[in-house]
Amino acid sequence: GAVFDDIMTSAEPYYTRVGSGNVLPGVEEAVKLMHSGDVWELSIPGALAFGKQGRSASPGKPRIPADATIAFTLELVAVPGKDDEMLEELGLAD
């Protein structure tokens, strides 16, 4: 039940490219199924989260044990190049 990361407190959106490996495999799989504007509550099994190795503690981030199930709230705001109008409306366009 511990919070291990909370990017929602940041004013900046988190950008990632599908296939980059920058997010957990379970998050990457969910993003592929989402539509712009979707907000999903995810429960990601350990094998698609931090796996058998877990994650070591680091400053401000607790240790995550091996095979831990991770719960996320994931919002897909827009897909750059596909949702240009939405990005402009939100003030996120370049």
Side-chain angles (χ1 to χ4, degrees), residues 7-15 92:
I7 63 171
M8 299 301 285
T9 58
S10 170
E12 294 295 317
Y14 183 82
Y15 295 94
L92 300 173

Side-chain angles (χ1 to χ4, degrees), residues 38-55:
D38 283 354
V39 178
W40 287 10
E41 298 292 328
L42 303 177
S43 181
I44 302 174
L48 294 174
F50 292 97
K52 293 183 187 292
Q53 73 278 3
R55 185 184 77 183

Side-chain angles (χ1 to χ4, degrees), residues 57-94:
S58 60
K61 296 190 177 188
R63 177 185 166 279
I64 297 175
D67 295 317
T69 298
I70 305 296
F72 271 97
T73 301
L74 184 62
E75 178 180 10
L76 183 63
V77 174
V79 178
K82 182 176 178 187
D83 298 323
D84 291 331
E85 300 86 19
M86 182 179 283
L87 289 170
E88 287 176 19
E89 184 175 320
L90 294 171
L92 300 173
D94 292 331

Side-chain angles (χ1 to χ4, degrees), residues 6-30:
D6 188 358
I7 63 171
M8 299 301 285
T9 58
S10 170
E12 294 295 317
Y14 183 82
Y15 295 94
T16 189
R17 181 179 301 270
V18 171
S20 68
N22 291 338
V23 296
L24 297 175
V27 172
E28 178 136 342
E29 291 304 313

